[in-house]
Amino acid sequence: MYSFDIERPTTLEDAVEALKDEEAQALAGGQTLIPTLKQRLAAPERLISLTSIPELKGVSAKDGWITIGAATTHAEVAKSVSAYPALAALAGQIGDPAVRNRGTIGGTLANNDPAACYSAAALASGAVIQTNTREIAAADYFLGMFETALEEGEIIIQVRFPIPEVASYQKFAQPASRFALVGVFVAKFADGVRVAVTGAAEEGVFRWSEAEAALDSSLAPESIDALEADDDGLIADIHGTAAYRAHLIKVLARRAISAMS
Amino acid sequence: MTKISISVNGESKSAEVEDRTLLSHFLRENLGLTGTHIGCDTSQCGACLVHVDGLAVKSCTMFAVEADGTDVRTIEGMANADGSLSKIQAAFQEHHGLQCGFCTPGMVMSAAALLKENPDPSEEDIREYLEGNICRCTGYHNIVKAIQAAAAA
Ligand SMILES: Cc1cc2nc3c(=O)[nH]c(=O)nc-3n(C[C@H](O)[C@H](O)[C@H](O)COP(=O)(O)OP(=O)(O)OC[C@H]3O[C@@H](n4cnc5c(N)ncnc54)[C@H](O)[C@@H]3O)c2cc1C
Ligand code: FES
Ligand code: FES
């Protein structure tokens, strides 16, 4: 690691102010950033820790929405998001217990790893990402592998999820990293079904709209029997070919739908 | 450099550290507590696992300055007050839950965190909880047995 200073502000205003400096970078759970710093792939002069700011932590439920502070750990979400069980279950399957005790929802969404779990939940739920300057709909937020709509110095404050009637996340874990080789999140709302896929595509999380259309008419595993996920643009690597990932998308979508009915 | 104060195994420790110091390095190099091992240094193996305010954390993936003001427990703080092995440690010995012993401090710390959360875990619960702890020697079987025995003890 190159040398840097760490600041630990206790208010959001101080953090926002500190992050105006181009040489400063936010530090949340560090589960992605610390390995990146060790590889010298990042060289900030200052890290601004977001984990001592009470406003950025905690979970609340109101009027059919769950609000999660950006610095809330995966372990907290797994434990306390009882009003949205599929989301709590997803958080409880991220990495391992020690990773869940440090890693945060804000860090995951800001990083936008193409295999991250929360991105599938955010996109399938139609979540809203609230930053220090604006609200961003999940549909406009994920811009490709490790790319998001966040501007320089903009920080996520909280993420709001509308609670679906029923939902399920099914993950096929990559055996070494425990990230999703493919993960599929299916959520049913009064106005329709959304299916989001993570881990599979070069461009990161995406919606499988053919499956959504089929499921809108009938939420049953058989509804997607006639469909095949397109393998164009899917990741092909040592862990699996594009065709293999396309196959997994359908298998996991079927499992999710079965779990919902 | 930042001055930090951490309670480590119940003893208050203060030091001036570079901000980039990892908690794992602080424990091993500043405090000489070499029971916390560094296996991968990439957040995968769990050999460096310690408890920070009671929660299992990979100390190679947390900065020492972030632990300022917390209560840290390492393998050196696991034995009973009279120096005898705690029930988890004794069960690892009894059931051959270790061979080379490199992963063992992390395994014991994970096991302790699990049993605090879930005093009566099934075999599946144990295997799932140990997802972030890698052992190259035992094949895990006797580690699971040891934890089951510790839970029953
Ligand atoms: C062994 C292992 C297994 C894992 N398995 C999974 C898995 O199965 N599924 C999964 O989804 N993830 C997995 N992860 C990643 C984990 O979820 C991390 O928590 C996540 O990638 C980053 O969150 P963090 O809080 O640690 O962020 P950090 O590492 O602290 O930060 C990541 C990036 O986000 C920025 N940032 C952080 N917070 C904010 C904010 N509020 N606003 C703006 N920018 C911010 C930082 O500047 C940095 O660029 C795994 C990680 C490890 C080490
Ligand atoms: S040394 Fe920390 S996880 Fe391997
Ligand atoms: S006993 Fe050798 S690594 Fe586990």
Side-chain angles (χ1 to χ4, degrees):
Chain A
M1 273 183 282
Y2 295 107
S3 190
F4 47 76
D5 292 330
I6 299 179
E7 285 176 25
R8 303 177 74 204
T10 51
T11 68
L12 186 55
E13 297 78 72
D14 288 350
V16 168
E17 197 51 41
L19 283 163
K20 283 187 181 153
D21 178 356
E22 261 183 31
E23 301 298 333
Q25 184 172 0
L27 168 69
Q31 302 301 292
T32 296
L33 186 52
I34 296 176
T36 311
L37 292 165
K38 285 182 182 179
Q39 292 173 10
R40 296 191 161 183
L41 294 174
E45 278 181 13
R46 240 178 319 290
L47 291 181
I48 312 303
S49 165
L50 303 179
T51 54
S52 309
I53 305 172
E55 301 143 87
L56 293 186
K57 290 191 184 177
V59 169
S60 60
K62 200 175 162 214
D63 302 333
W65 289 72
I66 291 278
T67 301
I68 304 175
T72 310
T73 62
H74 309 327
E76 272 308 314
V77 172
K79 199 168 64 186
S80 41
V81 178
S82 47
Y84 192 165
L87 188 61
L90 172 148
Q93 285 171 45
I94 295 176
D96 57 61
V99 167
R100 295 196 287 273
N101 280 335
R102 297 290 301 163
T104 68
I105 187 168
T108 307
L109 292 176
N111 190 49
N112 193 17
D113 188 295
C117 298
Y118 271 128
S119 11
L123 195 60
S125 308
V128 175
I129 290 123
Q130 165 92 51
T131 76
N132 56 312
T133 55
R134 59 188 167 141
E135 291 190 339
I136 312 171
D140 304 321
Y141 176 83
F142 300 103
L143 302 183
M145 190 181 282
F146 299 112
E147 295 277 332
T148 69
L150 293 177
E151 307 275 354
E152 194 63 41
E154 185 172 7
I155 63 175
I156 302 175
I157 291 173
Q158 53 179 225
V159 188
R160 285 186 282 122
F161 292 85
I163 302 170
E165 288 169 13
V166 54
S168 172
Y169 177 62
Q170 299 290 323
K171 167 179 172 181
F172 189 89
Q174 201 259 71
S177 75
R178 319 307 299 172
F179 269 76
L181 184 62
V182 173
V184 177
F185 199 106
V186 182
K188 180 184 187 305
F189 289 88
D191 63 353
V193 177
R194 282 196 289 264
V195 180
V197 180
T198 188
E202 303 277 1
E203 289 298 301
V205 67
F206 69 94
R207 279 171 65 181
W208 186 16
S209 31
E210 291 89 349
E212 294 178 355
L215 293 168
D216 274 341
S217 2
S218 162
L219 186 65
E222 306 76 62
S223 303
I224 61 166
D225 277 353
L227 303 178
E228 293 299 337
D230 189 356
D231 66 7
D232 197 31
L234 296 195
I235 299 170
D237 60 16
I238 183 174
H239 307 293
T241 60
Y244 179 67
R245 282 185 166 83
H247 179 71
L248 271 182
I249 292 173
K250 181 163 157 183
V251 170
L252 295 172
R254 269 184 127 271
R255 282 187 195 166
I257 302 153
S258 305
M260 288 160 71
S261 37
Chain B
M1 301 285 281
T2 299
K3 183 156 192 296
I4 57 172
S5 284
I6 305 179
S7 158
V8 181
N9 301 325
E11 278 179 47
S12 168
K13 303 281 181 187
S14 297
E16 184 94 11
V17 296
E18 267 195 84
D19 288 15
R20 64 176 163 173
T21 309
L22 297 166
L23 181 58
S24 52
H25 290 165
F26 176 74
L27 293 169
R28 291 177 57 84
E29 282 153 35
N30 293 60
L31 303 185
L33 295 174
T34 54
T36 296
H37 290 168
I38 300 175
C40 63
D41 204 25
T42 58
S43 341
Q44 308 291 325
C45 75
C48 65
L49 198 137
V50 301
H51 298 179
V52 177
D53 285 338
L55 297 177
V57 162
K58 290 173 179 171
S59 62
C60 76
T61 314
M62 175 170 182
F63 293 113
V65 299
E66 295 180 281
D68 186 25
T70 65
D71 200 336
V72 171
R73 184 161 294 264
T74 70
I75 189 69
E76 287 88 350
M78 291 306 281
N80 297 324
D82 65 0
S84 61
L85 295 182
S86 64
K87 69 176 185 182
I88 297 174
Q89 290 170 306
F92 268 69
Q93 186 181 49
E94 170 78 17
H95 295 272
H96 303 280
L98 65 151
Q99 287 180 22
C100 80
F102 193 85
C103 69
T104 315
M107 289 290 178
V108 169
M109 298 313 288
S110 251
L114 166 64
L115 294 184
K116 201 171 71 171
E117 226 173 81
N118 179 358
D120 185 24
S122 66
E123 177 180 344
E124 203 189 328
D125 294 338
I126 296 172
R127 289 186 183 274
E128 202 178 296
Y129 200 89
L130 295 181
E131 204 160 272
N133 290 86
I134 294 174
C135 175
R136 334 197 303 174
C137 303
T138 63
Y140 303 98
H141 203 70
N142 288 348
I143 294 177
V144 175
K145 259 209 278 190
I147 297 173
Q148 282 173 316

